Amino acid sequence: MRKFILIIPILFCQLLLSQTDDMTNGFKLLEKGDFEKAETFFKEYLGEYPDNKTAKLCYGRAVGLSGDPEKANAMFKSLLVEYPGDFEIQINYNESFLWDKKYSEAEPLYEELVSENPENFGAVLGYANTLSNLKKYSKALVMVNRAIALQPENVSAKVSRKYMKLGYANSYVNNQEYQKGINYLNEIFTDFPEDRDALLNLANVYLIIKETEKAKNIYTRLAISPKDSITALNGIALAEHIGENDKEALRVAIQAKEKVNAIDDTKLKEQTYDRYVQALIWNNKYGKAKEEIALLEKRYPEKNWFAALKATRGMYTADFKTSLANYDAILARDSASFDGNLGKANALFASDRIIPAYEAAFQTLKIFNKQKDAQGFIEKLNIQFTPSVEEHIAYTFDNGNNVAYSSNTSFNVPITTRLLTTLSYQYRNTENSVTLNKAQSHVVLGGITYKLMPKTNLKAIVGINNSSGTDISYTQPVFDIKLQTQPFKLQSLDFGYQREVQSFNAELIEQEIVMNHFGLNYNLGTNFKLGWYTQLMHTRQTDDNIRNLLFTSLYYNVFKKPAFKVGLNFQYITFKDQLPIIYFSPETYQAFELFGDLRGKFSEKTTYMLSAASGLQKVEEDDQTVIFRAEVGVKHQFNKRWNVELYGKYSNIASATAAGFEFTEIGLKVKWLFLKEPFYFKKLKKNNE
């Protein structure tokens, strides 16, 4: 906003320059902005001519603009006593409040001055700039247009109007009224065709609303000089990333990096190196990014952008401690840093420290009112912890002539971010069209999940299963207890015990088989797209049979968007006793398969998933047979509180069910957040206001 403040000094000096030649050098110093030398000049001049009003005014201006606005204000106030009603003194007095950023005090003074001098260009423009600094853009534009009407070719007034429209556009963008912001930015080109500031702001708006092609076109318009060409390439690289084309983003960033070495501009070099390393990180080239960061650290160890770069790499590689340390370093140097505050919120969330993550996001909003990303972050946390109800209905049929209808209604009610409760009711009705056996089961479950510490949860579910068939009816307790941990970065390890009643079909329900599972699940991720998942399970059944299961999967993440992974699965199962008439229970079973899993978006609110696997299975000494399974699903988010998913799946893998049957299932899932926000949110928000 200092640009506004310097407009009137130029006008003032031009006015006074015609009045006397004795002070010409002083006027020129003021006009050039060399205020300290001007202060010395007029102080010496007043030593010889202490009663010269013009010299007093110029001395006051020099004092105020060289860094002591309070002293200048006092000097002008004293002059007003000496020369009551003097317009030149009054306008300088008013302006001294702007130098001191006391815009509220200046507003009524300018309002009165303009009402008394409605045709005075300096007064009208000063009032317009005051209103603009107070972010009263609508009224400011009315006043600056009045000033321009008084002097249509005055460049200073048009510069003021430009910055008012930039500010007005920014206020609309912050309120997510993007088209209004775009309209004001485009208006700037009437006064200043292809204005650099307007182009950069316009490109930024298009990036925010993810209209990346328009953003790239704007950056292309900007590239009219060697420096601006590099700025444009940096912007285009970011646009490619937002448009989910990271390979192209890296290509463009490399191009910018090669060009910037020929430019003598430290800030531009920093921006370009920053974007280049970001592009390496976006492309999972973490080793190369680490090398580049090590080189940059020798030159820019105390720069906030460099700390943010290290923090970004930490976020992508799950090194959240490093990220937090760097975001804290940024905030220690600049507590109002956007990257520092919101970056810290994301790092805390990734570290499973939910309440501190909320607090960091609220701090961001205190500094950047209505900032879209911070609001979206809080909304994401709220959705995760808002009470919800889910309904899952399914129709299943298999090659053993079994047909089943099932439903599962569950209420998920987080009490706090550490304590989550659930209550569910499951119903399954199954019938065999050949044997005419019918059965049904009712399962009521209640559970809690408690966060013992970040990334360590204890989950406990207890309930009862009531099953009835043609000739039998019984009730059994059921349990599911898990300790869920993430002991190291990119690793998860779960231990569990589950007691369940086998209820896939009528024949199994008739057997009243209770299964006691003791299991371990381990997943290892890496920063080079490879992952490994293993499940070990030991099951003891109430019919005295024992099952041991090993499932292991080695997978590779080919793409991030859409998410596509491929891999190899191996499964090995043994049963102590073989009871093939009742259920699938071979002495040994092995299966090997190749699989692919694709997940992406049709649109912002509609996602899809497609998973398929095929391979070979071998049951005891039988010949190998081909296996195939597939699942497809589509989910639509109607609004923030409602979503619906339709899915279908098929499998002929012998181990897919206890009966060993080939089966097909079609299902529908509906989720509704029945409250608008978490229980704790109002109190948390109030505490952070």
Side-chain angles (χ1 to χ4, degrees), residues 169-214:
N170 185 60
S171 69
Y172 277 119
V173 171
N174 287 341
N175 285 323
Q176 300 176 33
E177 296 180 73
Y178 301 111
Q179 191 54 54
K180 289 183 179 180
I182 289 169
N183 292 343
Y184 274 107
L185 291 171
N186 280 320
E187 285 181 11
I188 292 171
F189 299 129
T190 302
D191 290 331
F192 302 98
E194 300 303 274
D195 180 79
R196 186 178 189 276
D197 294 320
L199 287 171
L200 286 171
N201 278 269
L202 196 56
N204 186 58
V205 177
Y206 285 128
L207 291 179
I208 290 171
I209 60 180
K210 298 184 178 180
E211 292 190 17
T212 53
E213 288 302 319
K214 289 184 178 180

Side-chain angles (χ1 to χ4, degrees), residues 42-84:
F42 286 110
K43 184 176 182 180
E44 292 175 354
Y45 188 91
L46 286 169
E48 293 186 42
Y49 305 99
D51 297 325
N52 189 297
K53 185 186 76 169
T54 300
K56 290 179 181 179
L57 278 173
C58 291
Y59 180 51
R61 294 191 67 80
V63 167
L65 291 168
S66 63
D68 197 349
E70 287 189 13
K71 181 179 177 181
N73 182 271
M75 292 169 64
F76 293 137
K77 187 175 183 179
S78 177
L79 282 172
L80 279 174
V81 173
E82 188 176 350
Y83 303 97

Side-chain angles (χ1 to χ4, degrees), residues 6 9-11 13-14 17 24-35 38:
L6 296 182
I10 295 170
L11 298 171
C13 292
Q14 289 173 341
L17 196 56
T24 299
N25 291 334
F27 298 151
K28 289 181 178 179
L29 289 171
L30 279 175
E31 190 173 4
K32 288 191 300 183
D34 203 343
F35 302 122

Side-chain angles (χ1 to χ4, degrees), residues 263-523:
I263 301 294
D264 184 18
D265 187 321
T266 301
K267 186 175 181 181
L268 185 59
K269 284 183 177 180
E270 291 178 10
Q271 293 170 344
T272 305
Y273 297 151
D274 186 18
R275 180 70 78 240
Y276 168 61
V277 179
Q278 286 175 350
L280 289 172
I281 294 169
W282 299 335
N283 283 273
N284 303 322
K285 297 182 182 295
Y286 304 123
K288 179 64 174 174
K290 185 177 181 181
E291 292 174 8
E292 293 293 331
I293 287 172
L295 293 173
L296 293 172
E297 190 159 20
K298 297 175 183 177
R299 300 169 62 182
Y300 310 107
E302 300 301 318
K303 294 283 188 175
N304 278 354
W305 67 265
F306 176 70
L309 199 57
K310 290 197 292 184
T312 299
R313 184 182 181 277
M315 293 296 290
Y316 273 75
T317 59
D319 187 1
F320 306 126
K321 288 184 179 179
T322 294
S323 296
L324 280 170
N326 280 281
Y327 287 130
D328 282 337
I330 292 171
L331 294 173
R333 290 189 286 263
D334 178 10
S335 62
S337 165
F338 174 75
D339 287 340
N341 282 285
L342 191 58
K344 183 175 182 178
N346 278 287
L348 287 165
F349 173 66
S351 303
D352 201 24
R353 297 166 60 187
I354 307 301
I355 295 298
Y358 266 115
E359 292 170 344
F362 280 123
Q363 179 63 26
T364 307
L365 287 176
K366 286 180 184 177
I367 303 167
F368 304 93
N369 187 37
K370 296 183 179 181
Q371 206 283 327
K372 182 183 177 182
D373 294 330
Q375 288 180 327
F377 178 82
I378 291 172
E379 187 176 277
K380 178 179 71 173
L381 293 184
N382 280 353
I383 289 173
Q384 182 175 332
F385 293 98
T386 297
S388 64
V389 58
E390 295 183 58
E391 180 64 34
H392 177 191
I393 56 176
Y395 169 68
T396 307
F397 58 93
D398 61 41
N399 63 346
N401 303 303
N402 295 292
V403 175
Y405 301 90
S406 62
S407 71
N408 183 1
T409 305
S410 60
F411 291 86
N412 305 295
V413 183
I415 306 301
T416 68
T417 59
R418 297 184 66 180
L419 178 63
L420 286 70
T421 64
T422 62
L423 179 66
S424 67
Y425 167 67
Q426 303 170 15
Y427 170 76
R428 186 178 181 88
N429 184 303
T430 180
E431 179 179 357
N432 189 290
S433 60
V434 175
T435 65
L436 301 180
N437 279 350
K438 295 181 180 180
Q440 57 182 278
S441 62
H442 305 265
V443 182
V444 178
L445 301 170
I448 62 168
T449 300
Y450 185 73
K451 190 187 303 294
L452 300 173
M453 63 182 73
K455 298 191 176 183
T456 302
N457 297 331
L458 180 63
K459 182 177 181 180
I461 297 175
V462 297
I464 56 171
N465 180 312
N466 176 262
S467 297
S468 59
T470 306
D471 301 315
I472 190 171
S473 178
Y474 56 86
T475 300
Q476 288 280 357
V478 290
F479 309 98
D480 188 0
I481 301 172
K482 284 189 178 73
L483 179 64
Q484 302 168 322
T485 70
Q486 296 181 47
F488 306 104
K489 70 175 184 178
L490 297 172
Q491 297 183 54
S492 64
L493 178 62
D494 300 344
F495 303 92
Y497 163 69
Q498 183 180 13
R499 187 180 197 273
E500 70 168 335
V501 177
Q502 188 53 253
S503 59
F504 184 77
N505 58 38
E507 282 73 13
L508 286 170
I509 289 176
E510 291 278 356
Q511 297 297 319
E512 194 179 352
I513 297 173
V514 177
M515 308 172 77
N516 294 283
H517 306 291
F518 302 87
L520 176 152
N521 296 334
Y522 174 71
N523 188 71

Side-chain angles (χ1 to χ4, degrees), residues 81-100:
V81 173
E82 188 176 350
Y83 303 97
D86 186 285
F87 176 80
E88 289 180 358
I89 298 172
Q90 184 68 53
I91 199 168
N92 277 275
Y93 176 64
N94 293 1
E95 193 180 347
S96 66
F97 286 102
L98 304 187
W99 303 336
D100 205 16

Side-chain angles (χ1 to χ4, degrees), residues 64-276:
L65 291 168
S66 63
D68 197 349
E70 287 189 13
K71 181 179 177 181
N73 182 271
M75 292 169 64
F76 293 137
K77 187 175 183 179
S78 177
L79 282 172
L80 279 174
V81 173
E82 188 176 350
Y83 303 97
D86 186 285
F87 176 80
E88 289 180 358
I89 298 172
Q90 184 68 53
I91 199 168
N92 277 275
Y93 176 64
N94 293 1
E95 193 180 347
S96 66
F97 286 102
L98 304 187
W99 303 336
D100 205 16
K101 298 182 180 180
K102 295 180 178 179
Y103 309 120
S104 296
E105 288 90 331
E107 182 183 11
L109 296 175
Y110 270 114
E111 185 176 18
E112 182 179 355
L113 190 64
V114 168
S115 67
E116 295 172 354
N117 303 272
E119 302 301 314
N120 185 277
F121 174 81
V124 175
L125 184 59
Y127 188 29
N129 289 333
T130 303
L131 293 167
S132 182
N133 278 296
L134 289 168
K135 298 184 178 181
K136 296 181 178 181
Y137 296 115
S138 179
K139 193 173 181 181
L141 283 171
V142 170
M143 297 308 299
V144 79
N145 287 335
R146 276 181 56 180
I148 291 172
L150 292 169
Q151 293 188 17
E153 301 305 317
N154 190 282
V155 176
S156 297
K158 290 181 179 180
V159 170
S160 283
R161 181 160 68 180
K162 165 190 158 179
Y163 282 97
M164 289 172 194
K165 288 181 177 178
L166 285 172
Y168 211 1
N170 185 60
S171 69
Y172 277 119
V173 171
N174 287 341
N175 285 323
Q176 300 176 33
E177 296 180 73
Y178 301 111
Q179 191 54 54
K180 289 183 179 180
I182 289 169
N183 292 343
Y184 274 107
L185 291 171
N186 280 320
E187 285 181 11
I188 292 171
F189 299 129
T190 302
D191 290 331
F192 302 98
E194 300 303 274
D195 180 79
R196 186 178 189 276
D197 294 320
L199 287 171
L200 286 171
N201 278 269
L202 196 56
N204 186 58
V205 177
Y206 285 128
L207 291 179
I208 290 171
I209 60 180
K210 298 184 178 180
E211 292 190 17
T212 53
E213 288 302 319
K214 289 184 178 180
K216 288 190 289 184
N217 289 336
I218 296 298
Y219 282 122
T220 301
R221 289 166 58 184
L222 177 69
I224 58 173
S225 70
K227 286 186 178 182
D228 282 342
S229 294
I230 295 168
T231 299
L233 288 172
N234 289 336
I236 290 170
L238 179 58
E240 295 291 2
H241 169 63
I242 293 172
E244 302 179 3
N245 189 359
D246 286 334
K247 287 185 178 180
E248 181 64 14
L250 180 56
R251 188 194 69 78
V252 174
I254 291 172
Q255 187 180 351
K257 179 174 174 285
E258 291 171 349
K259 287 188 173 186
V260 82
N261 291 326
I263 301 294
D264 184 18
D265 187 321
T266 301
K267 186 175 181 181
L268 185 59
K269 284 183 177 180
E270 291 178 10
Q271 293 170 344
T272 305
Y273 297 151
D274 186 18
R275 180 70 78 240
Y276 168 61

